[in-house]
Amino acid sequence: MLRMKHVLLEVYFDDERVKLEEVLTHTSNLEELMYKEVKFTYADNELAYAGQKGIVYNIEDMAGFGGDMEIEPEEENYEAKMEKLIEAWQEIAVRKIDEAVNEYMAVKDSILAEFDKEN
């Protein structure tokens, strides 16, 4: 059984010099991407809607664990608290993804039924 894994990367590039969609279209694997004019890092603890070609076009279409979600490193028991907070974020994010899929499937059924009535 083939198991597929997805890796979310945050890509940095000069928007005026590099056409990201072209780079991604002509790059077949991560190793090739490493030799292009882009830099990247793993986008850990991120939740995002990737539109056409898998690109997140708007900052509003993503939420990552960071900023106000984090606590100060000086906080007592920082590591243990951060572990618990990230665990809670993961549980919430996965639950919300499931909710979005279920909501979409209901909307899909409704739209298809509407079209079936017209025919």
Side-chain angles (χ1 to χ4, degrees):
M1 174 187 198
L2 177 66
R3 290 190 47 109
M4 184 182 297
K5 290 190 177 186
H6 293 80
V7 176
L8 202 58
L9 299 175
E10 193 163 357
V11 179
Y12 303 90
F13 62 100
D14 182 347
D15 198 24
E16 293 180 16
R17 291 185 41 221
V18 177
K19 303 296 180 224
L20 185 61
E21 288 185 30
E22 287 179 26
V23 168
L24 295 175
T25 299
H26 300 296
T27 302
S28 62
N29 60 50
L30 191 57
E31 190 173 314
E32 277 184 39
L33 184 62
M34 290 169 41
Y35 295 102
K36 303 288 183 178
E37 294 185 58
V38 298
K39 303 289 182 233
F40 58 89
T41 186
Y42 296 105
D44 50 345
N45 301 307
E46 295 278 334
L47 187 61
Y49 169 74
Q52 196 173 28
K53 300 197 187 256
I55 298 173
V56 178
Y57 290 97
N58 302 302
I59 192 84
E60 297 83 18
D61 294 338
M62 62 178 285
F65 189 90
D68 290 343
M69 296 172 124
E70 294 187 75
I71 58 174
E72 295 297 324
E74 297 81 26
E75 182 87 27
E76 187 177 327
N77 297 318
Y78 171 79
E79 298 282 334
K81 288 177 181 178
M82 281 298 291
E83 186 177 320
K84 281 289 199 187
L85 290 168
I86 290 171
E87 184 180 300
W89 169 245
Q90 178 183 2
E91 290 173 12
I92 293 166
V94 170
R95 185 175 68 245
K96 294 299 180 180
I97 290 168
D98 288 342
E99 288 174 15
V101 169
N102 291 336
E103 182 178 341
Y104 168 78
M105 293 306 286
V107 168
K108 175 187 167 195
D109 290 345
S110 174
I111 290 171
L112 293 177
E114 191 176 306
F115 273 89
D116 287 346
K117 279 186 203 175
E118 291 174 6
N119 293 330

